[in-house]
Amino acid sequence: MTVTERKERQRVLREQLFLDKAAELIAKEGILQLQMAPLAKACDYATGTLYQHFSSKEDLLVALAGRNSCHQLRFFQGIVALEITSREKMLALSVAAKMNQQHYPSHARLEQYAFTEAVWQNASAARRQAILANCKPLADLVSGIVQQAINDNELPKQNCDAFSLSVAPWALCIGSQALEQTEGFLEAFGGNKDPLLRYRHLHMLLNGMQWQPLMDLNNEALIASQIKQLESLLEPWFQHCHAE
């Protein structure tokens, strides 16, 4: 190993340490409590060394969110390979997002926070480009499920490409997660903690898109059974992906 290669390896390991410790502190104390100087001290490095890796706290948060997306990609790739219908795959993606939210709540909150304008605009262009590159395979994966449905005559194209058709289910999933994570928000307007709410809404949307086979929205027992089956199917793969 050359001196240059050794230095690069040390740099990568040091950056990994900073991200690991930041994730640990966020899980314990919350995103807003994270500060650069205490983080550097917790890693036994000078604050200046930390800033050699990340230009700002926002830069670090975007980098951490990008790393988390790599775990999701492996998980979601497993969903595409399942022998289920394209509509069930789309529902399984929503179930998978919910599982991530339940098992790693700080990750889910970080993703929501990292894409706000205040964070995104203050991260470096390089970090923003890196997370977009990480997320591109996820977007392609979802578009692939949509394209499969179009090819199998399960979904009308509606003069849209596959990516455009994927935006509405994607936005519904992200929006549901944001509302659920804001404590007391839905309840303040008469809502309740209905575990099937996001899935019923997704079925409503897919029915409106004429995505076959249509779901009987009045059959709550069927929807609950479908979600339970998908959770059982996904749990082993979820554990495998996050154990790596």
Side-chain angles (χ1 to χ4, degrees):
M1 181 183 295
T2 66
V3 173
T4 300
E5 289 172 337
R6 185 179 299 109
K7 286 183 177 180
E8 176 60 19
R9 181 181 180 186
Q10 291 172 344
R11 188 197 68 80
V12 170
L13 290 174
R14 190 165 55 244
E15 186 161 302
Q16 183 77 21
L17 173 63
F18 287 140
L19 291 174
D20 287 343
K21 181 57 70 172
E24 179 185 326
L25 292 174
I26 288 172
K28 288 180 179 178
E29 302 171 4
I31 297 171
L32 296 181
Q33 300 304 315
L34 183 70
Q35 299 297 328
M36 297 294 270
L39 171 60
K41 184 177 180 180
C43 296
D44 292 324
Y45 281 101
T47 304
T49 303
L50 177 58
Y51 277 107
Q52 289 175 9
H53 289 264
F54 308 101
S55 61
S56 63
K57 173 182 172 179
E58 291 81 9
D59 202 52
L60 185 149
L61 292 175
V62 169
L64 187 55
R67 189 178 73 164
N68 293 344
S69 70
C70 293
H71 292 295
Q72 292 186 39
L73 177 60
R74 289 194 293 271
F75 187 25
F76 288 179
Q77 284 172 333
I79 292 173
V80 174
L82 293 174
E83 304 249 345
I84 56 179
T85 68
S86 61
R87 178 165 176 151
E88 287 172 324
K89 289 179 182 179
M90 189 61 71
L91 188 65
L93 292 177
S94 185
V95 173
K98 181 69 172 180
M99 292 172 70
N100 272 314
Q101 182 181 351
Q102 291 173 328
H103 285 76
Y104 300 99
S106 62
H107 289 189
R109 293 189 189 97
L110 174 62
E111 288 173 12
Q112 181 182 349
Y113 187 62
F115 288 102
T116 60
E117 183 177 2
V119 176
W120 186 254
Q121 293 300 330
N122 285 290
S124 66
R127 291 292 176 189
R128 293 200 302 267
Q129 187 57 46
I131 194 173
L132 290 175
N134 284 348
C135 291
K136 179 65 164 56
L138 287 169
D140 290 343
L141 184 151
V142 179
S143 296
I145 294 174
V146 174
Q147 189 62 55
Q148 176 194 341
I150 293 171
N151 294 344
D152 294 344
N153 295 317
E154 295 172 347
L155 176 66
K157 194 170 182 182
Q158 306 289 4
N159 293 320
C160 294
D161 59 27
F163 175 76
S164 297
L165 287 173
S166 75
V167 169
W170 184 14
L172 189 150
C173 183
I174 293 174
S176 295
Q177 181 166 301
L179 292 174
E180 291 166 5
Q181 287 179 168
T182 305
E183 185 177 352
F185 189 85
L186 289 174
E187 292 83 352
F189 297 100
N192 55 51
K193 298 196 176 192
D194 179 358
L196 294 179
L197 185 62
R198 70 160 65 185
Y199 306 121
R200 271 204 301 272
H201 284 169
L202 182 56
H203 274 307
M204 289 179 198
L205 175 63
L206 298 181
N207 277 2
M209 295 171 69
Q210 293 298 303
W211 198 320
Q212 305 297 320
L214 301 182
M215 170 62 73
D216 179 2
L217 300 175
N218 294 315
N219 194 336
E220 188 165 316
L222 179 59
I223 296 174
S225 175
Q226 184 184 46
I227 299 305
K228 187 175 181 180
Q229 289 175 4
L230 287 172
E231 288 173 340
S232 297
L233 190 63
L234 295 178
E235 183 64 32
W237 182 239
F238 177 86
Q239 297 298 339
H240 171 72
C241 289
H242 285 274
E244 293 180 348

